[in-house]
Amino acid sequence: MDDLVVHGPLARPEGSSLVTSLSRDASAATGEVAVRLRGIGKRFPGVIANDDINIDVARGSIHAVVGENGAGKSTLMKILYGVQPPDSGTIEVNGTELALSTPADAIKAGIGMVFQHFMLADNLTVLENVVLGAESLHGIGGAARAKVAEISAAYGLGIDPDRRVEDLGVGARQRVEILKVLYRGARIIILDEPTAVLVPQEVDELFGNLRELKREGLSVIFISHKLDEVLSVADEITVIRRGTTVATVDPRSVTSRQLAELMVGSELPTPQTEASTVTDEVMLSVRGLGLRGPDGRAVLDDISFDIHRGEILGIAGVEGNGQSELVEAVMGMRGGAEGAVVLSGRDIAGLSTRARREAGIGYVPEDRHRHGLLLDAPLWENRVLGHQTREPSARRGVIRRRAARADTQRIIDAYDVRTPGTEVPARALSGGNQQKLIVGREMSADPVLLIASHPTRGVDVGAQGAIWDHIKRARREGLAVLLISADLDELIGLSDRIEVVLRGRLVGTFDPSAVTPEELGSAMTGAGDAAPTTTTEETRG
Amino acid sequence: MNVRLTKVALAIGAPLLALALAFAITSLVLLAAGDPVGEVWAQIISWPEARNQVNILNNATVLFLSGLAVSIGFRMNLFNIGVDGQYRVAVFAAAAVAGEGWLPGYLNTALAIVCAMLAGAAWAGIAGVLKATRGVSEVIATIMLNFIATALVAYLLAKVAVREEGSNVIGTAPVPEGSRIPGIQMWSDIPTEIYGFIVFAVLVGVAYWFTLNKTRFGFELRATGRSASAAVASGISVRRMTITTMMLSGAVAGLVGLPILFGTSPYNYGSTFQSGLGFAGIAIALLGRNHPVGIALGALLFAFLDEQSNPLQILVGVSPDIVAITQGVIVLTVVVSYELVRRYGARLEQRRVAAQLARESAAAKDPRPTTKEAAR
Amino acid sequence: MRRTKFTAALAVSILALAGCGSSGSDDGDSGSGNGGGGGEGDIKVGLAYDVGGRGDQSFNDSAAAGLDRAADEFSISSDESEAEDGEAEAAREERLRTFAENDYDVVIAVGFAYATAIGAVAPDYPEVEFAVIDDSTNEFDNVTNLVFAEEQGSFLVGAAAALTSESNHVGFVGGVQTPLIEKFEAGYTAGAQAVNPDVQVDVTYLTQPPDFTGFADPARGKTAAQGMFDAGADVVYHAAGGSGGGVFEAAQEAGGRAIGVDSDQYNTADEAVRDVILTSMLKNVDVAVYEFLSDIDAGEDPSGTVTYDLEADGVGYSTSGDFLTPEVIEQLEGFKEQIIAGEIEVPTAP
């Protein structure tokens, strides 16, 4: 059984000291193997997919699969769920070798999957959602309702079958997804990044549910890159790097830092605030910013804050509470915003997005594919994007290709963008390199304010560290930085001050050096009474 | 593998694949209909005579302008189906103005051209404004505007028409002799001349290329076409771009009918004026991949096929509809094969980038990348 | 950049294909056509149809009938080609040129759309005899303009309408408001008023040029005619080509009468509506084509404008179905004689 312990390159001497100390014989602790993957390989042109993946998932256990974005986790799970066939290797479920060519095969074999993005019809009830597509199992009437109630009770899911999905919170929706899978008879459940959309309290609930499943003898495969969570819930952890399994470790004998280093294969960066560079000079002043949605509801409600030169203001909040709108209102991308936006003494509220950019705002958008890049355009054109009115990209209305290419090359060198050249389409780059290019571009026009929205979302750890460094450098150079992030560690690590946004209002100000993620989480969900330096504490509903 | 060589191979492969497919499909249609396949192809691909070559160039000039007009919209992901209505409104305006002869000689011509562009731009601008302000799909708006254009032009033509004794054709007053654009006599022994307007069409093609590829405006237009959301974030006013682009497309559409108006008898706009040019433009823009050179070649191909439909019917006895079928099939196969080749090319590119990065990182650092990765 | 290369390659490949083609077909077989004419003969005739071509049950078919009759009687071989909707002036010109270049002796252009093209082509081929139907603007030694006195035939059916009408109220539906169709209207109105100066004549046109859909839109024809029947008219004459079918339907539904045009529509219309067709204004394009070819066959060199009127039997009215009473026919014959004698001058414009 030693191939279970350590696979791939880390078995070699140079990386092995850490791993060998962590490894242990996984199958000893638990009984039979529910899923056994051997030598799974999958090749796509130009992307690292899977190569010689070996995993054993014990019955009645929670098995975490961790790895960076692009390490091959998703591909592996698609193979296991029958979405894609492997090029090589075997899949055994409960000791029988299977060929899974469609998800239907996987479901038949008792494998279920809960996707990161929920696949629920909002306007249907929980029962209808669960039964949808599985009408042949228990019909759509009383039998189905009884079954749903039974499952909900057995695993402590606490779901009312007759509620409409649109009335449920995120955590409850996720439990509906799990219920759907169980209803279809799954004994092996794959959860793809289940905590990405949850606040800390909901995460705890989810973990409670998972432990319940485990107690009932089900096997859970839990995909994540949030290492602390993995360590708290998993019985075993398999690390995937560059498409191959590099180690299977016991969470009791490993720290999250060690895990991360296994994932990355090198030393890790941390978002640590350096000595304060905050000045008295207000760079950005927002007063009474308000915005109504199409339905007339306030999406932003009387938002006011200042950012000083050399200061990073972090905005924390559960997604969908107005962060995107706040950024877009400051950028002038949303019509109909009220209130004042003053940038270094000048009210820019009436200006167009272009004029605001020219006034010195650099913008790293939250969705780089939608807002930051022209994916099919070469890198140099992406360099021009947003700077098409300014030197060196353009002069007198004509795009200067040569200068733009040269400056793109400068960014590539300065920001360590890994690319063969400036003519490569942006799509060909990895997420981290795309993001580094964007950061480089936004810093290139000497901005006075940098708006960074989820700057490290979906980028690999290496790029994450680099991007953090660039943000910190911007702060040192006297920029005001507005940082929006769902990653509380990132917020706490980088920010000089954190504002929490809830239902379009700023509901509390926190000092990052004195706040815990849990406290932030409470404030974000509106449950919190804890808000040390709260400015406005009212929460509604 | 040599990158450049691969690119060239792919570049030649796509159109060859498309033409071969079109050839095969059309042959099947002919076989099914029981027509003489060999004879039809021999006729279709026979080298045209001098006067036919002139006709091809002339027809291609018109189709080229139409293709350009459509492709301006395409570059911004706007589907301007309304080139047909725009060019009719425009050429009518030009004919009405030129026929009046308010200004002498070529000043009259210039005035008419400006009027045509303004009329086309205004007509297309309606769809642009509707899209930008009310979110009305430009496809729907331009289709509706085509109908309205038909009726409007008919109505106005009836008002200004000059009727000649013994003739059943009604049309505007002919453009005065001094304002016509003389043809270019390519071969002295044939009766047809190349439209002088072809020079202007080439200039428009060059201007199109320069504007779209070299200027900031062109960059913003293309960026908006590639990703409207990214355009917004980078400070481009998508609304304004929508209106401007539609108007620009309409202005070029306004030129479509002018080679005919100024270059061929009866030098007016009337009941027998060529119609349907706007729709041909859509096919040609697709065929030409929105590049002026491609559009020119696509226009030539279509004009060539059109020209061959006459002898096909008279000399081979096969319905000229086979030409329309061939044209349609070519558009389809070209679209399909370019997409196939594009995807294949993109995959090659991605693989190449990945391979190169892997090589670089292998060269740069060393202990880590293992034999396994290097082997990949 | 990639696109440029693609398209360059496209051109190369097309040219290559075209090149192969030409080398292979130089010894081509011109004139292997099988249009629809008779066997091999001395006179080669090219017939250029208007949109619709042979088989349109109307104008083009009438010309085809004339050609077929001539082919039966004379030594003629023929080929045909039809126009496409909305084609370029150059395409029409090229159609005529293709015939002329390929040694056809006679080229007949059906329809006024060819007027400009004939004017451009005929002078270049003095040895070819051209004929054009429905246009009289060209004056060349080798061009014969075949035109019809539609107003005269329309006059007679107008009289028939007024004589048959009980409500003293008749209608006219024109397909497209061209001068040609206005001739029909003018004759029809004059005929009706000759019978009864107080008769009410409703006139409507379906479309305005250059929109020619009015000749092929039965639904619109029906709506227009319905309006007239609803307003009290009981006989409606159409000069609207394919839209006429709708006029017949409207007449049937309203219990009124309709008058056909061009050919004897009692014989060609849908059986269900035949019984409403009081009469048809005949425009004998076949006669014109036949007589023109007959002159050629006789070795003559026709030119100028030949008007096919009542006297030449170029226009007339039909009596199929026997809906016209002998008394009505008697009166119509009286009008006919008066027109031929010049006692009645029928207006050509409303």
Side-chain angles (χ1 to χ4, degrees):
Chain A
M1 282 266 130
D2 13 356
D3 60 335
L4 238 193
V5 178
V6 171
H7 315 284
L10 284 191
R12 285 162 214 293
E14 67 264 25
S16 61
S17 60
L18 169 67
V19 176
T20 37
S21 70
L22 297 173
S23 57
R24 69 191 187 98
D25 189 347
S27 60
T30 45
E32 306 145 69
V33 174
V35 178
R36 186 191 299 269
L37 302 176
R38 279 293 173 277
I40 299 287
K42 179 77 186 174
R43 262 158 280 277
F44 295 114
V47 234
I48 303 162
N50 290 164
D51 184 18
D52 196 21
I53 295 256
N54 299 290
I55 298 178
D56 283 18
V57 179
R59 180 165 307 153
S61 76
I62 298 174
H63 193 113
V65 176
V66 301
E68 287 188 79
N69 282 297
K73 297 172 303 207
S74 301
T75 304
L76 179 63
M77 291 309 129
K78 281 181 188 159
I79 289 171
L80 185 53
Y81 193 52
V83 179
Q84 287 164 345
D87 293 336
S88 58
T90 59
I91 301 170
E92 279 176 34
V93 176
N94 299 324
T96 323
E97 188 173 327
L98 294 174
L100 304 173
S101 49
T102 67
D105 292 345
I107 292 168
K108 215 182 294 171
I111 299 172
M113 179 138 176
V114 175
F115 290 93
Q116 188 174 356
H117 300 286
F118 302 149
M119 298 180 178
L120 298 172
D122 278 358
N123 51 351
L124 298 184
T125 64
V126 168
L127 177 65
E128 287 165 335
N129 266 290
V130 170
V131 170
L132 195 67
E135 297 85 351
S136 58
L137 292 177
H138 309 282
I140 58 171
R145 180 187 307 275
K147 185 73 184 168
V148 167
E150 177 199 325
I151 295 172
S152 175
Y155 299 102
L157 297 176
I159 291 175
D160 174 359
D162 293 319
R163 285 195 69 178
R164 269 176 197 272
V165 166
E166 64 190 351
D167 300 330
L168 299 179
V170 177
R173 288 179 193 215
Q174 192 168 54
R175 291 198 296 278
V176 175
E177 286 280 6
I178 294 172
L179 183 62
K180 263 170 74 178
V181 165
L182 294 171
Y183 185 82
R184 285 157 177 73
R187 302 291 295 166
I188 298 154
I189 298 177
I190 306 167
L191 294 147
D192 187 11
E193 303 266 2
T195 62
V197 289
L198 304 179
V199 294
Q201 286 77 358
E202 290 171 325
V203 169
D204 289 341
E205 276 183 58
L206 172 69
F207 288 173
N209 296 136
L210 296 186
R211 291 190 186 100
E212 197 68 41
L213 295 175
K214 179 172 89 172
R215 251 198 301 286
E216 298 293 327
L218 275 68
S219 312
V220 176
I221 300 174
F222 181 94
I223 301 167
S224 183
H225 62 245
K226 293 189 179 168
L227 303 178
D228 291 332
E229 295 171 0
V230 166
L231 287 172
S232 81
V233 75
D235 299 311
E236 270 186 297
I237 301 170
T238 295
V239 182
I240 294 187
R241 168 151 51 94
R242 298 193 185 200
T244 194
T245 39
V246 292
T248 294
V249 298
D250 181 344
R252 282 163 293 186
S253 56
V254 68
T255 66
S256 67
R257 194 166 181 84
Q258 287 167 324
L259 255 189
E261 280 165 5
L262 272 175
M263 276 165 57
V264 186
S266 66
E267 290 289 307
L268 266 194
T270 44
Q272 265 169 3
T273 311
E274 298 159 1
S276 174
T277 57
V278 182
T279 62
D280 290 340
E281 191 186 334
V282 174
M283 188 53 85
L284 177 72
S285 174
V286 171
R287 284 291 171 273
L289 191 62
L291 182 69
R292 292 190 177 279
D295 53 356
R297 216 164 37 89
V299 209
L300 293 178
D301 188 2
D302 193 23
I303 298 228
S304 299
F305 60 83
D306 287 336
I307 310 180
H308 301 84
R309 273 178 62 95
E311 180 183 35
I312 298 180
L313 173 66
I315 303 283
V318 176
E319 261 177 69
N321 274 281
Q323 299 94 316
S324 306
E325 290 80 2
L326 170 60
V327 169
E328 291 180 6
V330 174
M331 283 303 294
M333 291 159 62
R334 291 246 175 188
E338 329 159 343
V341 179
V342 180
L343 183 67
S344 51
R346 174 181 173 211
D347 190 351
I348 58 168
L351 300 184
S352 67
T353 304
R354 170 177 299 157
R356 294 187 199 205
R357 278 177 161 276
E358 285 169 354
I361 304 184
Y363 175 40
V364 179
E366 65 172 289
D367 184 338
R368 61 180 164 272
H369 288 178
R370 270 173 53 74
H371 292 116
L373 294 169
L374 303 174
L375 289 172
D376 291 316
L379 296 189
W380 72 264
E381 285 198 350
N382 276 290
R383 158 68 185 90
V384 175
L385 187 69
H387 299 74
Q388 64 270 25
T389 52
R390 286 174 274 181
E391 306 243 6
S393 302
R395 186 180 287 166
R396 284 191 290 276
V398 176
I399 300 292
R400 303 173 69 216
R401 290 179 175 233
R402 186 169 308 177
R405 285 199 181 95
D407 200 61
T408 309
Q409 192 58 50
R410 176 190 65 75
I411 292 173
I412 289 172
D413 296 338
Y415 289 79
D416 188 30
V417 181
R418 309 277 171 83
T419 167
T422 56
E423 291 300 323
V424 173
R427 191 185 292 283
L429 299 193
S430 70
N433 285 312
Q434 289 174 345
Q435 194 74 340
K436 284 189 279 189
L437 180 78
I438 292 175
V439 173
R441 171 182 77 195
E442 297 304 325
M443 293 298 292
S444 65
D446 297 321
V448 292
L449 168 68
L450 179 67
I451 300 179
S453 209
H454 305 280
T456 61
R457 175 180 281 179
V459 308
D460 54 86
V461 176
Q464 187 178 43
I467 291 166
W468 284 337
D469 284 344
H470 293 306
I471 292 175
K472 283 186 276 191
R473 203 190 70 216
R475 168 177 175 267
R476 264 201 313 279
E477 288 171 358
L479 271 74
V481 179
L482 178 61
L483 175 69
I484 286 89
S485 181
D487 181 342
L488 298 186
D489 291 333
E490 176 173 275
L491 275 179
I492 293 170
L494 289 177
S495 305
D496 293 301
R497 186 156 52 93
I498 295 177
E499 294 278 0
V500 173
V501 67
L502 176 67
R503 293 188 204 105
R505 298 175 70 99
L506 294 183
V507 295
T509 306
F510 294 85
D511 177 357
S513 61
V515 75
T516 64
E518 285 68 29
E519 285 168 330
L520 272 184
S522 300
M524 282 157 63
T525 51
D529 34 311
T533 54
T534 307
T535 46
T536 40
E537 206 186 319
E538 73 175 356
T539 50
R540 286 164 300 177
Chain B
M1 182 166 24
N2 185 327
V3 178
R4 192 170 286 270
L5 207 65
T6 318
K7 273 194 175 167
V8 170
L10 286 178
I12 296 175
L16 280 185
L17 179 68
L19 287 179
L21 273 174
F23 185 83
I25 293 173
T26 312
S27 297
L28 284 178
V29 172
L30 285 170
L31 276 178
D35 281 321
V37 180
E39 254 181 89
V40 168
W41 286 119
Q43 182 59 53
I44 287 187
I45 57 186
S46 62
W47 188 250
E49 293 181 26
R51 74 163 198 285
N52 301 103
Q53 292 173 22
V54 170
N55 284 341
I56 290 172
L57 277 176
N58 284 345
N59 197 8
T61 304
V62 174
L63 293 175
F64 172 70
L65 288 169
S66 179
L68 275 191
V70 175
S71 75
I72 290 174
F74 275 169
R75 290 301 279 272
M76 213 189 104
N77 260 346
L78 284 176
F79 214 143
N80 182 4
I81 305 234
V83 170
D84 214 63
Q86 290 145 23
Y87 95 78
R88 275 183 285 138
V89 168
V91 73
F92 173 77
V97 168
E100 292 292 333
W102 286 315
L103 297 175
Y106 288 122
L107 282 177
N108 190 30
T109 316
L111 175 70
I113 292 176
V114 170
C115 283
M117 295 182 75
L118 289 177
W123 201 250
I126 297 172
V129 169
L130 284 175
K131 166 124 183 159
T133 58
R134 301 252 73 85
V136 179
S137 159
E138 77 282 6
V139 175
I140 307 293
T142 53
I143 287 176
M144 291 306 161
L145 283 167
N146 280 347
F147 284 115
I148 298 171
T150 304
L152 179 71
V153 169
Y155 172 74
L156 293 176
L157 181 61
K159 298 237 165 209
V160 306
V162 177
R163 285 155 206 243
E164 198 184 332
E165 192 60 39
S167 166
N168 284 310
V169 183
I170 67 164
T172 58
V175 177
E177 216 148 311
S179 303
R180 297 173 188 172
I181 300 177
I184 302 162
Q185 186 85 42
M186 209 146 72
W187 295 274
S188 57
D189 58 336
I190 57 159
T192 45
E193 293 180 336
I194 298 171
Y195 292 146
F197 208 86
I198 198 171
V199 177
F200 195 69
V202 170
L203 292 179
V204 172
V206 172
Y208 167 96
W209 170 82
F210 181 81
T211 307
L212 265 88
N213 292 297
K214 297 288 173 188
T215 66
R216 189 186 97 198
F217 172 78
F219 178 85
E220 295 189 343
L221 191 153
R222 286 182 291 120
T224 312
R226 278 178 157 140
S227 168
S229 48
V232 169
S234 60
I236 297 168
S237 165
V238 172
R239 279 181 186 202
R240 214 174 57 208
M241 285 305 293
T242 304
I243 296 173
T244 317
T245 305
M246 277 308 280
M247 290 183 70
L248 198 61
S249 177
V252 175
L255 297 172
V256 170
L258 300 190
I260 302 172
L261 177 66
F262 290 109
T264 191
S265 175
Y267 301 101
N268 72 354
Y269 181 79
S271 46
T272 56
F273 202 86
Q274 191 172 3
S275 63
L277 290 168
F279 299 114
I282 297 171
I284 287 161
L286 282 174
L287 207 56
R289 315 298 298 163
N290 299 331
H291 189 285
V293 175
I295 292 167
L297 291 169
L300 278 171
L301 176 63
F302 265 49
F304 174 85
L305 289 171
D306 277 340
E307 191 66 17
Q308 300 298 55
S309 73
N310 245 325
L312 195 64
Q313 194 179 10
I314 293 169
L315 305 178
V316 186
V318 169
S319 164
D321 292 336
I322 198 68
V323 164
I325 293 173
T326 311
Q327 288 175 336
V329 169
I330 287 176
V331 172
L332 280 179
T333 56
V334 162
V335 170
V336 170
S337 79
Y338 274 88
E339 183 59 21
L340 286 178
V341 169
R342 188 191 65 78
R343 284 191 197 170
Y344 179 71
R347 239 179 301 156
L348 276 186
E349 175 79 1
Q350 228 162 30
R351 197 177 304 174
R352 190 175 67 81
V353 169
Q356 189 161 340
L357 290 180
R359 256 201 316 279
E360 274 170 17
S361 65
K365 26 189 194 153
D366 40 3
R368 184 143 338 227
T370 61
T371 48
K372 202 172 256 168
E373 282 152 358
R376 189 138 354 128
Chain C
M1 219 156 292
R2 195 176 63 202
R3 289 187 180 129
T4 324
K5 285 177 189 158
F6 279 156
T7 43
L10 180 71
V12 169
S13 50
I14 291 158
L15 292 178
L17 276 173
C20 300
S22 71
S23 62
S25 66
D26 275 347
D27 53 345
D29 39 3
S30 61
S32 71
N34 50 2
E40 292 297 307
D42 301 323
I43 307 172
K44 279 178 76 179
V45 177
L47 193 62
Y49 290 116
D50 205 338
V51 177
R54 184 186 275 268
D56 74 342
Q57 307 248 329
S58 172
F59 190 58
N60 289 303
D61 254 0
S62 190
L67 174 69
D68 290 349
R69 196 171 131 213
D72 283 343
E73 296 181 19
F74 316 126
S75 182
I76 283 176
S77 68
S78 66
D79 285 298
E80 302 167 4
S81 175
E82 70 184 65
E84 281 163 45
D85 199 14
E87 67 184 358
E89 194 55 47
R92 285 187 281 268
E93 206 177 301
E94 178 57 25
R95 184 165 303 112
L96 302 181
R97 268 187 211 286
T98 307
F99 282 124
E101 286 282 330
N102 285 282
D103 304 324
Y104 285 75
D105 306 302
V106 177
V107 177
I108 301 174
V110 182
F112 60 78
Y114 285 102
T116 311
I118 288 274
V121 175
D124 294 337
Y125 304 94
E127 75 289 356
V128 179
E129 286 292 343
F130 291 89
V132 57
I133 291 170
D134 274 353
D135 182 82
S136 60
T137 50
N138 291 297
E139 289 171 14
F140 298 104
D141 285 345
N142 60 334
V143 174
T144 306
N145 300 310
L146 305 173
V147 298
F148 294 82
E150 293 94 348
E151 73 282 4
Q152 294 183 359
S154 298
F155 183 95
L156 295 184
V157 296
L163 289 168
T164 312
S165 173
E166 288 164 6
S167 62
N168 220 8
H169 187 171
V170 298
F172 173 80
V173 174
V176 182
Q177 192 165 10
T178 60
L180 175 63
I181 304 302
E182 285 177 341
K183 256 164 98 182
F184 287 76
E185 182 206 330
Y188 179 73
T189 309
Q193 284 169 347
V195 170
N196 177 358
D198 299 327
V199 70
Q200 185 181 347
V201 184
D202 290 347
V203 174
T204 192
Y205 285 89
L206 300 181
T207 61
Q208 299 289 324
D211 178 2
F212 280 83
T213 55
F215 285 133
D217 193 342
R220 219 177 326 187
K222 184 173 177 178
T223 312
Q226 262 169 353
M228 291 177 177
F229 286 119
D230 289 348
D234 57 356
V235 183
V236 174
Y237 172 39
H238 87 85
S243 305
V247 174
F248 297 150
E249 277 180 37
Q252 193 190 30
E253 287 171 15
R257 294 283 192 172
I259 297 174
V261 76
D262 285 355
S263 58
D264 185 352
Q265 293 201 284
Y266 181 80
N267 296 325
T268 55
D270 190 37
E271 267 188 52
V273 297
R274 270 181 197 177
D275 289 343
V276 304
I277 302 176
L278 178 68
T279 176
S280 296
M281 198 291 277
L282 302 175
K283 176 175 173 181
N284 297 319
V285 176
D286 53 339
V287 171
V289 170
Y290 172 79
E291 289 188 358
F292 173 72
L293 288 173
S294 156
D295 286 352
I296 302 270
D297 185 62
E300 288 173 33
D301 184 13
S303 67
T305 299
V306 182
T307 305
Y308 285 84
D309 53 14
L310 282 174
E311 190 173 8
D313 200 22
V315 293
Y317 63 95
S318 68
T319 55
S320 311
D322 291 329
F323 300 118
L324 295 178
T325 61
E327 298 77 50
V328 170
I329 293 178
E330 195 181 318
Q331 292 208 38
L332 296 186
E333 288 301 317
F335 281 123
K336 184 172 169 181
E337 276 165 32
Q338 285 177 293
I339 293 169
I340 292 172
E343 289 161 23
I344 295 179
E345 196 143 325
V346 184
T348 55

